[in-house]
Amino acid sequence: MTIFYAVLITLGALILSYGIWCLAEPFFLDLDRAVLKDTHEDRASFNDISVKSLPLIPEDIQDDPDVRLFFISDIHSEWCPVSAKRISKAIEKCHKSAPLDAVIFGGDIASRTNNAAGGFKYLRKISDCCKELGIPFYGVCGNHDYAIAANAPAASGFISLDNKVTDLISHKTGAKISLAGHPNSGRHNRVWQQTLPEGSHDPVILVAHDPEALIHIDPSDRPTFMLSGHLHGGQMKLPFRLQFTALRKADCMPGYGVVQGCYNIMGTSVFVSRGLGCGVLPVRFLSLPEATVVDIHL
């Protein structure tokens, strides 16, 4: 009986520790760096979905990128303990170490429309920081933002990339790089874009909230690079990948191994962020909130 109680107490302590950690993890921030290189592959030649996981920072990479971006995604203002002040300080610190060419938001301001005001306020603080530093702040709307997409950019202070394209100038070579965005049509009856925004030219950095957008693009129009979020890195790492097979069954990319980090998907170099906030439940497990400096090498 003594052994039984000892096992019971141990199990209770483990469950309690697990619960405390799940509630505490959303307060941490992983400020990391990812490097995307042009694969120089013929992207139109990939007829089937081909995915290769890549390291965040390749061993052979140089420290001087052609374009340097700061990427955040998935605020979900209902539960985002990582404050806008912390993100603004991170942007300022990164910009001082090596100038940023742009700050980019990957979508999902709030999980529910009636909570959008909190997300707008959050992003406006980041927008103010970018203005002070002279950095352009771009963004797209996510699947949760569909109902508020019309006024989200103006209310949040970012320049909308939804179905639009702008040019970034490489500080290293002076080359023009197209920065384009794909809109998200919402959580139900989704409509996927098959082409890049008019005016795009190689090389293209596409910002699309859901990485699944890439597999719906016509092969002849696939971008060189893509930045996405949406998947939260799974948010909760569960046995047997239950976070995807049971909780996120509508998402197809985890079935190809695309969850978080860098990938070569059909010749396109892709970074998928874990995001900042929590969707549905205010917990995370082994999936820290993430803000990322993304170095682009042509």
Side-chain angles (χ1 to χ4, degrees):
M1 189 63 69
T2 303
I3 295 176
F4 172 77
Y5 283 124
V7 171
L8 195 64
I9 291 171
T10 301
L11 286 174
L14 289 173
I15 292 171
L16 180 61
S17 299
Y18 173 79
I20 291 173
W21 179 257
C22 289
L23 290 170
E25 188 168 307
F27 289 84
F28 294 92
L29 174 64
D30 185 12
L31 179 59
D32 56 11
R33 177 182 172 220
V35 175
L36 296 181
K37 298 191 297 181
D38 187 346
T39 63
H40 298 290
E41 295 179 283
D42 180 6
R43 296 180 292 278
S45 67
F46 289 87
N47 296 317
D48 299 319
I49 298 175
S50 169
V51 176
K52 179 182 178 182
S53 182
L54 302 173
L56 278 178
I57 306 176
E59 293 182 0
D60 61 342
I61 204 65
Q62 298 176 349
D63 287 333
D64 186 20
D66 292 277
V67 175
R68 196 164 189 254
L69 307 172
F70 190 96
F71 185 62
I72 57 173
S73 188
D74 296 273
I75 292 173
H76 293 278
S77 60
E78 293 85 354
W79 190 260
C80 184
V82 178
S83 69
K85 184 177 180 179
R86 289 174 67 186
I87 297 300
S88 296
K89 285 186 175 180
I91 292 170
E92 185 176 356
K93 179 181 178 180
C94 292
H95 188 59
K96 283 183 177 178
S97 65
L100 296 168
D101 293 293
V103 174
I104 299 176
F105 170 60
D108 272 1
I109 297 170
S111 297
R112 290 177 292 276
T113 306
N114 59 350
N115 293 320
F120 295 158
K121 182 179 180 182
Y122 189 106
L123 289 170
R124 280 198 304 270
K125 290 180 180 178
I126 295 173
S127 176
D128 291 342
C129 170
C130 290
K131 288 177 181 176
E132 289 179 9
L133 297 172
I135 309 169
F137 182 29
Y138 299 101
V140 296
C141 291
N143 56 289
H144 285 281
D145 303 329
Y146 177 66
I148 59 172
N151 70 323
S156 302
F158 64 78
I159 303 166
S160 175
L161 287 174
D162 284 331
N163 258 338
K164 297 184 177 99
V165 61
T166 188
D167 280 338
L168 294 178
I169 307 299
S170 170
H171 57 264
K172 185 167 73 172
T173 66
K176 287 185 178 181
I177 301 97
S178 284
L179 178 63
H182 265 188
N184 196 291
S185 60
R187 301 177 65 189
H188 307 289
N189 302 317
R190 292 186 179 180
V191 177
W192 300 100
Q193 303 290 313
Q194 295 181 319
T195 60
L196 295 177
E198 186 176 349
S200 301
H201 56 80
D202 271 344
V204 179
I205 303 169
L206 178 67
V207 184
H209 175 69
D210 189 338
E212 186 180 340
L214 182 62
I215 68 176
H216 297 279
I217 298 175
D218 186 272
S220 63
D221 217 26
R222 287 181 187 137
T224 323
F225 308 98
M226 190 171 83
L227 305 178
S228 294
H230 181 62
L231 297 174
H232 296 236
Q235 190 165 314
M236 296 285 292
K237 296 292 194 299
L238 300 174
F240 312 110
R241 293 170 59 87
L242 288 174
Q243 68 271 28
F244 297 116
T245 57
L247 302 178
R248 300 191 70 118
K249 292 185 288 186
D251 295 311
C252 77
M253 295 311 286
Y256 296 102
V258 177
V259 177
Q260 64 182 58
C262 296
Y263 303 89
N264 178 335
I265 305 178
M266 300 176 295
T268 296
S269 297
V270 181
F271 173 70
V272 181
S273 171
R274 294 190 298 270
L276 291 172
C278 302
V280 184
L281 296 174
V283 290
R284 282 179 176 264
F285 183 65
L286 302 181
S287 182
L288 287 171
E290 178 178 41
T292 310
V293 173
V294 181
D295 287 344
I296 303 288
H297 290 258
L298 303 178

